[in-house]
Amino acid sequence: MLLPKRRKLQNPHILVAYFSRSGNTRRLAEVICRQTGGRLFEIQPQNSYPASYEKTVVQAREEIQKGFLPALLKQAEGFDQYKTVFIGSPNWWGTLAPPVASFLAGRAAAGKILVPFCTHGGSGGEEIGGEIARLCPQARVLSAFEAYGPRVKTGAVKKQLGKWLRRIGMVR
Ligand SMILES: Cc1cc2nc3c(=O)[nH]c(=O)nc-3n(C[C@H](O)[C@H](O)[C@H](O)COP(=O)(O)O)c2cc1C
């Protein structure tokens, strides 16, 4: 007997945009998509970062110090149609990874709700929301969800994420 396919939850007003070098932030983005029905969009720089962690750390520091905004591989189609945009970034040197800043810089985000989420290596992600608000002053920026990178696969983080989504009114 054929079982009916489980209907995939979809919400045409939610975009979940993220950048991830080593997969932690991607994992959060995927869970957010599953829970909210939003569309997933990966922010990718045209020139990927070096495979070496150390080289990436050095390059990222330089880019952040200079305020360099790397060119992106593609833009999110129909950005204007989304009312709510989740913005995911790893904490890089205490701030947004440069491709995420590129994604936001110069965007007309008036009337949008931007929802930051972040993974980090121990120093949290509080500054991320402030940086998003600085880049998109006309948007409403909600409080961020942050998780320690090595713990994103745990059930505890998934549970916290679900609680946060309910608290900010994104899922019932
Ligand atoms: C260039 C670079 C800079 C980083 N800077 C910080 C930092 O300042 N504070 C911190 O807690 N973690 C820092 N990390 C660790 C990452 O935030 C952490 O591993 C994150 O979960 C990686 O996410 P991803 O797997 O989505 O790329 C840094 C990592 C890289 C590659």
Side-chain angles (χ1 to χ4, degrees):
M1 192 181 80
L2 275 177
L3 291 171
K5 269 193 188 161
R6 203 149 42 112
R7 213 154 35 100
K8 218 173 137 197
L9 172 74
Q10 282 192 339
N11 186 327
H13 304 295
I14 297 182
L15 179 71
V16 182
Y18 73 95
F19 166 76
S20 181
R21 180 181 167 274
S22 54
N24 295 334
T25 314
R26 173 178 303 120
R27 187 166 285 268
L28 289 189
E30 287 169 350
V31 178
I32 292 171
C33 270
R34 274 201 296 279
Q35 298 209 11
T36 63
R39 196 187 121 215
L40 192 64
F41 177 75
E42 182 177 9
I43 300 169
Q44 291 171 286
Q46 259 174 29
N47 300 317
S48 14
Y49 285 92
S52 144
Y53 181 84
E54 286 74 20
K55 283 186 183 158
T56 301
V57 164
V58 172
Q59 182 178 326
R61 186 178 51 201
E62 265 180 38
E63 290 183 357
I64 289 165
Q65 278 171 352
K66 290 182 184 155
F68 174 71
L69 297 173
L72 301 181
L73 207 54
K74 56 182 174 10
Q75 289 296 339
E77 247 173 68
F79 181 83
D80 293 343
Q81 85 197 38
Y82 297 100
K83 206 173 139 206
T84 301
V85 184
F86 284 83
I87 307 286
S89 178
N91 174 338
W92 275 15
W93 290 102
T95 189
L96 293 173
V100 181
S102 295
F103 178 77
L104 292 172
R107 283 238 183 244
K112 287 198 192 301
I113 300 173
L114 301 183
V115 196
F117 61 100
C118 166
T119 67
H120 59 85
S123 56
E126 274 170 33
E127 307 83 353
I128 299 276
E131 187 56 16
I132 292 175
R134 192 185 67 75
L135 289 164
C136 300
Q138 292 172 317
R140 185 172 153 228
V141 181
L142 302 191
S143 68
F145 179 81
E146 55 179 66
Y148 178 49
R151 299 201 65 229
V152 293
K153 289 186 190 157
T154 64
V157 167
K158 231 169 136 185
K159 219 167 148 185
Q160 284 165 8
L161 190 59
K163 250 178 143 175
W164 168 72
L165 288 170
R166 281 193 294 280
R167 196 175 62 239
I168 62 173
M170 292 297 161
V171 297
R172 276 191 224 142

